[in-house]
Amino acid sequence: MRFIPSAVFLSALLACSPAGDTAPGISVDGAYIIDPAAGRDVAAGGMVIRATGMSSRLLSADSPSAERIELHTHVETDGVMQMRQVEAIDLPDGEDVALKRGGHHLMLFGFDADLTPGDTIEMTLTFEMDEGEETQRLSVPVVDLSDIN
């Protein structure tokens, strides 16, 4: 019986402790590019982005494997879901922002036709920060649509 009160006390103590030494910044996880359908040169991409210690915005993405990359979202207009380009994607402090099909996502136009699932592309993301802009470079795998949840 003494173990349970000690465990409860320890849990309460940990819940009140500071979050640790997490430095402010942007983390990007699970990035992917969906291999376009045969004969197409337009691909979609996703990832999960988290701003910690500040709010931020994703301003742009760039890759030598695509002519251009646009930030997109889906909006409902008169009961119909439509894809729309956006200037930036807000990244509230401490929240995971998922870029995925049916929501915010990347659209890659003029995508390199020689790339197939299993290949990776280099991509640079640009974020708006309090002090200006910051970039992050990623190696992003090309995946088959069936690999996406």
Side-chain angles (χ1 to χ4, degrees):
M1 291 305 257
R2 282 195 254 166
F3 176 73
I4 293 173
S6 297
V8 170
F9 174 75
L10 181 59
S11 295
L13 182 63
L14 290 174
C16 295
S17 298
D21 59 354
T22 303
I26 304 285
S27 64
V28 179
D29 292 306
Y32 61 87
I33 302 300
I34 300 171
D35 188 39
R40 303 281 318 257
D41 69 347
V42 178
M47 62 194 66
V48 176
I49 305 172
R50 176 182 278 260
T52 302
M54 80 224 133
S55 293
S56 181
R57 295 179 350 137
L58 174 62
L59 298 176
S60 65
D62 187 51
S63 173
S65 299
E67 291 174 12
R68 75 179 190 281
I69 302 177
E70 296 179 359
L71 307 178
H72 279 220
T73 194
H74 277 91
V75 295
E76 186 175 337
T77 305
D78 298 326
V80 177
M81 292 300 290
Q82 298 177 334
M83 187 172 53
R84 294 281 185 247
Q85 184 178 3
V86 295
E87 289 186 27
I89 296 173
D90 291 334
L91 305 170
D93 182 15
E95 293 182 24
D96 286 342
V97 176
L99 278 60
K100 61 183 183 177
R101 296 175 63 207
H104 295 307
H105 59 281
L106 302 177
M107 290 300 300
L108 294 81
F109 297 91
F111 190 69
D112 185 344
D114 293 332
L115 294 167
T116 60
D119 292 335
T120 59
I121 69 166
E122 296 303 311
M123 182 180 292
T124 302
L125 302 177
T126 301
F127 299 95
E128 179 181 84
M129 310 293 277
D130 290 336
E131 309 80 40
E133 293 182 0
E134 177 182 304
T135 60
Q136 277 193 31
R137 293 182 187 194
L138 311 170
S139 290
V140 182
V142 178
V143 300
D144 188 79
L145 178 60
S146 64
D147 295 330
I148 303 301
N149 296 333

